[in-house]
Coordinates of all heavy atoms in Angstrom, one line a residue:
G1 N -36.7 -204.9 -73.4 CA -36.4 -206.0 -74.2 C -37.3 -207.2 -74.0 O -37.9 -207.4 -72.9
S2 N -37.5 -208.0 -75.0 CA -38.2 -209.3 -74.9 C -37.3 -210.4 -75.3 O -36.4 -210.2 -76.1 CB -39.5 -209.2 -75.8 OG -39.1 -209.1 -77.1
G3 N -37.6 -211.6 -74.8 CA -36.8 -212.7 -75.0 C -36.1 -213.2 -73.7 O -35.6 -212.3 -73.0
R4 N -36.0 -214.4 -73.5 CA -35.5 -214.9 -72.3 C -33.9 -214.8 -72.2 O -33.4 -215.0 -71.1 CB -35.8 -216.4 -72.2 CG -37.3 -216.7 -72.1 CD -37.7 -218.1 -71.9 NE -37.2 -218.6 -70.7 CZ -37.8 -218.5 -69.5 NH1 -39.0 -217.8 -69.4 NH2 -37.3 -219.0 -68.4
T5 N -33.3 -214.4 -73.3 CA -31.8 -214.3 -73.2 C -31.4 -212.9 -72.8 O -30.2 -212.6 -72.7 CB -31.2 -214.6 -74.6 OG1 -31.7 -213.8 -75.6 CG2 -31.5 -216.1 -74.9
F6 N -32.3 -212.0 -72.6 CA -32.0 -210.6 -72.3 C -30.9 -210.5 -71.1 O -30.0 -209.7 -71.3 CB -33.2 -209.8 -72.0 CG -32.9 -208.4 -71.6 CD1 -32.8 -207.4 -72.6 CD2 -32.8 -208.0 -70.3 CE1 -32.6 -206.1 -72.3 CE2 -32.5 -206.7 -69.9 CZ -32.4 -205.7 -70.9
S7 N -31.2 -211.1 -70.1 CA -30.3 -211.0 -68.9 C -28.9 -211.5 -69.1 O -28.0 -211.1 -68.3 CB -31.0 -211.7 -67.7 OG -31.0 -213.1 -67.9
G8 N -28.7 -212.3 -70.1 CA -27.4 -212.7 -70.4 C -26.6 -211.9 -71.4 O -25.4 -212.2 -71.7
L9 N -27.2 -210.8 -71.8 CA -26.5 -210.0 -72.9 C -26.0 -208.7 -72.3 O -26.6 -208.1 -71.4 CB -27.6 -209.7 -74.0 CG -28.0 -210.9 -74.8 CD1 -29.2 -210.4 -75.7 CD2 -26.9 -211.4 -75.6
A10 N -24.9 -208.2 -72.9 CA -24.5 -206.9 -72.6 C -25.4 -205.9 -73.4 O -25.9 -206.3 -74.4 CB -23.0 -206.7 -73.0
M11 N -25.5 -204.7 -72.9 CA -26.3 -203.7 -73.5 C -25.6 -202.4 -73.8 O -24.7 -202.0 -73.0 CB -27.6 -203.4 -72.7 CG -28.5 -204.6 -72.4 SD -29.3 -205.2 -73.9 CE -30.3 -203.8 -74.3
G12 N -25.9 -201.8 -74.8 CA -25.2 -200.5 -75.2 C -26.2 -199.5 -75.6 O -27.3 -199.8 -76.1
W13 N -25.9 -198.2 -75.4 CA -26.6 -197.1 -75.9 C -25.8 -196.4 -76.9 O -24.6 -196.1 -76.7 CB -27.0 -196.1 -74.7 CG -28.1 -196.5 -73.9 CD1 -28.1 -197.1 -72.7 CD2 -29.5 -196.4 -74.2 NE1 -29.3 -197.4 -72.2 CE2 -30.2 -197.0 -73.2 CE3 -30.2 -195.9 -75.3 CZ2 -31.6 -197.0 -73.1 CZ3 -31.6 -195.9 -75.3 CH2 -32.3 -196.5 -74.2
F14 N -26.4 -196.1 -78.0 CA -25.7 -195.4 -79.1 C -26.5 -194.2 -79.5 O -27.7 -194.2 -79.2 CB -25.6 -196.4 -80.4 CG -24.7 -197.5 -80.2 CD1 -25.1 -198.6 -79.4 CD2 -23.5 -197.6 -80.8 CE1 -24.3 -199.7 -79.3 CE2 -22.6 -198.7 -80.6 CZ -23.1 -199.8 -79.9
R15 N -25.9 -193.3 -80.1 CA -26.7 -192.1 -80.6 C -26.1 -191.7 -82.0 O -25.0 -191.9 -82.3 CB -26.6 -191.0 -79.6 CG -25.2 -190.3 -79.5 CD -25.3 -189.3 -78.4 NE -24.0 -188.6 -78.2 CZ -23.7 -187.7 -77.3 NH1 -24.7 -187.4 -76.4 NH2 -22.5 -187.2 -77.2
Q16 N -27.0 -191.1 -82.7 CA -26.6 -190.6 -84.0 C -27.3 -189.2 -84.2 O -28.5 -189.1 -84.2 CB -27.1 -191.5 -85.1 CG -26.5 -191.1 -86.5 CD -26.6 -192.2 -87.5 OE1 -27.4 -193.1 -87.4 NE2 -25.7 -192.2 -88.5
A17 N -26.5 -188.2 -84.4 CA -26.9 -186.8 -84.6 C -26.9 -186.6 -86.1 O -26.1 -187.2 -86.9 CB -26.0 -185.9 -83.9
P18 N -27.6 -185.6 -86.6 CA -27.6 -185.3 -88.0 C -26.2 -184.9 -88.5 O -25.5 -184.1 -87.9 CB -28.5 -184.0 -88.1 CG -29.5 -184.2 -86.9 CD -28.6 -184.8 -85.8
G19 N -25.9 -185.6 -89.6 CA -24.6 -185.3 -90.2 C -23.4 -186.0 -89.5 O -22.3 -185.7 -89.9
K20 N -23.7 -186.8 -88.5 CA -22.6 -187.4 -87.7 C -22.7 -188.9 -87.7 O -23.8 -189.4 -88.0 CB -22.6 -186.9 -86.3 CG -22.2 -185.4 -86.1 CD -22.1 -185.0 -84.7 CE -21.8 -183.5 -84.6 NZ -21.7 -183.1 -83.1
N21 N -21.6 -189.6 -87.5 CA -21.7 -191.0 -87.4 C -22.3 -191.5 -86.1 O -22.3 -190.7 -85.1 CB -20.2 -191.6 -87.5 CG -19.6 -191.4 -88.9 OD1 -20.3 -191.4 -89.9 ND2 -18.3 -191.1 -88.9
R22 N -22.8 -192.7 -86.1 CA -23.3 -193.2 -84.9 C -22.2 -193.5 -83.9 O -21.1 -194.0 -84.3 CB -24.0 -194.6 -85.2 CG -24.6 -195.3 -84.0 CD -25.4 -196.5 -84.4 NE -26.6 -196.2 -85.1 CZ -27.4 -197.1 -85.7 NH1 -27.1 -198.4 -85.5 NH2 -28.4 -196.7 -86.3
E23 N -22.4 -193.1 -82.6 CA -21.3 -193.3 -81.6 C -21.9 -194.1 -80.4 O -23.1 -194.0 -80.1 CB -20.8 -192.0 -81.1 CG -21.7 -191.1 -80.4 CD -21.1 -189.9 -79.8 OE1 -19.9 -189.9 -79.6 OE2 -21.8 -188.9 -79.6
N24 N -21.0 -194.9 -79.8 CA -21.4 -195.7 -78.6 C -21.3 -194.8 -77.4 O -20.2 -194.3 -77.1 CB -20.5 -196.9 -78.5 CG -20.8 -197.8 -77.4 OD1 -20.0 -198.6 -77.0 ND2 -22.1 -197.7 -76.9
V25 N -22.4 -194.5 -76.8 CA -22.4 -193.6 -75.7 C -22.1 -194.3 -74.4 O -21.3 -193.7 -73.5 CB -23.8 -192.9 -75.5 CG1 -23.9 -192.0 -74.3 CG2 -24.1 -192.1 -76.8
A26 N -22.6 -195.4 -74.2 CA -22.4 -196.2 -72.9 C -22.7 -197.6 -73.1 O -23.4 -198.0 -74.1 CB -23.4 -195.6 -71.8
A27 N -22.2 -198.4 -72.2 CA -22.5 -199.9 -72.3 C -22.4 -200.5 -70.9 O -21.8 -199.9 -70.0 CB -21.4 -200.6 -73.2
I28 N -23.1 -201.6 -70.7 CA -23.2 -202.2 -69.4 C -23.2 -203.7 -69.7 O -23.8 -204.2 -70.6 CB -24.5 -201.8 -68.7 CG1 -24.5 -202.3 -67.3 CG2 -25.7 -202.1 -69.5 CD1 -25.5 -201.6 -66.4
N29 N -22.5 -204.4 -68.8 CA -22.4 -205.9 -69.0 C -23.7 -206.6 -68.5 O -24.6 -205.9 -68.0 CB -21.2 -206.5 -68.3 CG -21.3 -206.5 -66.8 OD1 -22.0 -205.7 -66.2 ND2 -20.5 -207.3 -66.2
W30 N -23.7 -207.9 -68.6 CA -25.0 -208.6 -68.3 C -25.5 -208.5 -66.9 O -26.7 -208.5 -66.7 CB -24.8 -210.1 -68.7 CG -23.9 -210.8 -67.7 CD1 -22.5 -211.0 -67.8 CD2 -24.3 -211.5 -66.6 NE1 -22.1 -211.7 -66.8 CE2 -23.1 -212.1 -66.0 CE3 -25.5 -211.8 -65.9 CZ2 -23.1 -212.8 -64.8 CZ3 -25.5 -212.5 -64.8 CH2 -24.4 -213.0 -64.2
S31 N -24.5 -208.4 -66.0 CA -24.9 -208.3 -64.6 C -25.1 -206.9 -64.0 O -25.5 -206.7 -62.9 CB -23.9 -209.1 -63.7 OG -22.6 -208.5 -63.8
G32 N -24.6 -205.9 -64.8 CA -24.7 -204.5 -64.4 C -23.5 -204.1 -63.5 O -23.6 -203.0 -62.9
T33 N -22.5 -204.9 -63.4 CA -21.4 -204.6 -62.6 C -20.3 -203.8 -63.3 O -19.4 -203.3 -62.6 CB -20.8 -205.9 -62.0 OG1 -20.4 -206.8 -63.1 CG2 -21.8 -206.6 -61.1
R34 N -20.3 -203.7 -64.6 CA -19.3 -203.0 -65.3 C -20.0 -202.1 -66.3 O -20.9 -202.5 -67.0 CB -18.4 -203.9 -66.0 CG -17.6 -204.8 -65.1 CD -16.5 -205.6 -65.8 NE -15.9 -206.5 -64.9 CZ -14.9 -206.2 -64.0 NH1 -14.5 -205.0 -63.9 NH2 -14.4 -207.2 -63.2
T35 N -19.5 -200.9 -66.4 CA -20.0 -199.9 -67.4 C -18.9 -199.1 -68.0 O -17.8 -199.0 -67.5 CB -21.0 -198.9 -66.7 OG1 -20.3 -198.2 -65.6 CG2 -22.2 -199.6 -66.1
I36 N -19.2 -198.6 -69.2 CA -18.2 -197.7 -69.9 C -19.0 -196.6 -70.5 O -20.2 -196.7 -70.8 CB -17.4 -198.5 -71.0 CG1 -18.4 -199.0 -72.0 CG2 -16.6 -199.5 -70.4 CD1 -17.7 -199.5 -73.3
Y37 N -18.3 -195.4 -70.7 CA -18.9 -194.3 -71.2 C -17.9 -193.6 -72.2 O -16.7 -193.6 -72.0 CB -19.3 -193.3 -70.1 CG -20.2 -193.8 -69.1 CD1 -19.8 -194.4 -68.0 CD2 -21.6 -193.7 -69.3 CE1 -20.6 -194.9 -67.0 CE2 -22.5 -194.2 -68.4 CZ -22.0 -194.8 -67.2 OH -22.9 -195.3 -66.3
T38 N -18.5 -193.0 -73.2 CA -17.6 -192.1 -74.0 C -17.3 -190.9 -73.3 O -18.0 -190.4 -72.4 CB -18.3 -191.8 -75.4 OG1 -17.4 -191.2 -76.3 CG2 -19.5 -190.8 -75.1
N39 N -16.1 -190.3 -73.6 CA -15.6 -189.2 -72.8 C -16.5 -188.0 -72.7 O -16.6 -187.3 -71.7 CB -14.2 -188.7 -73.4 CG -13.1 -189.7 -73.2 OD1 -12.2 -189.8 -73.9 ND2 -13.2 -190.5 -72.1
T40 N -17.3 -187.7 -73.7 CA -18.1 -186.5 -73.7 C -19.3 -186.6 -72.8 O -19.9 -185.6 -72.5 CB -18.6 -186.2 -75.1 OG1 -19.3 -187.4 -75.7 CG2 -17.4 -185.9 -76.1
V41 N -19.6 -187.8 -72.3 CA -20.8 -187.9 -71.4 C -20.4 -188.4 -70.0 O -21.3 -188.5 -69.1 CB -21.8 -188.9 -72.0 CG1 -22.2 -188.5 -73.4 CG2 -21.4 -190.3 -72.0

């Protein structure tokens, strides 16, 4: 990422497979102390 606000933002990983909707795979808060994952991963 670029931009000075990066460290203050939560980040997420999404994926989209052919013929499927985009899904949220994982996310992490600004400090990296909290994470979530979709059940399949």
Side-chain angles (χ1 to χ4, degrees):
S2 62
R4 298 182 65 81
T5 60
F6 178 87
S7 63
L9 295 171
M11 300 293 297
W13 282 100
F14 295 75
R15 67 184 182 187
Q16 188 163 27
K20 296 184 178 180
N21 294 324
R22 179 177 292 177
E23 65 173 335
N24 186 199
V25 175
I28 186 168
N29 72 337
W30 71 271
S31 64
T33 58
R34 300 188 185 281
T35 58
I36 60 167
Y37 302 93
T38 191
N39 289 153
T40 55
V41 308

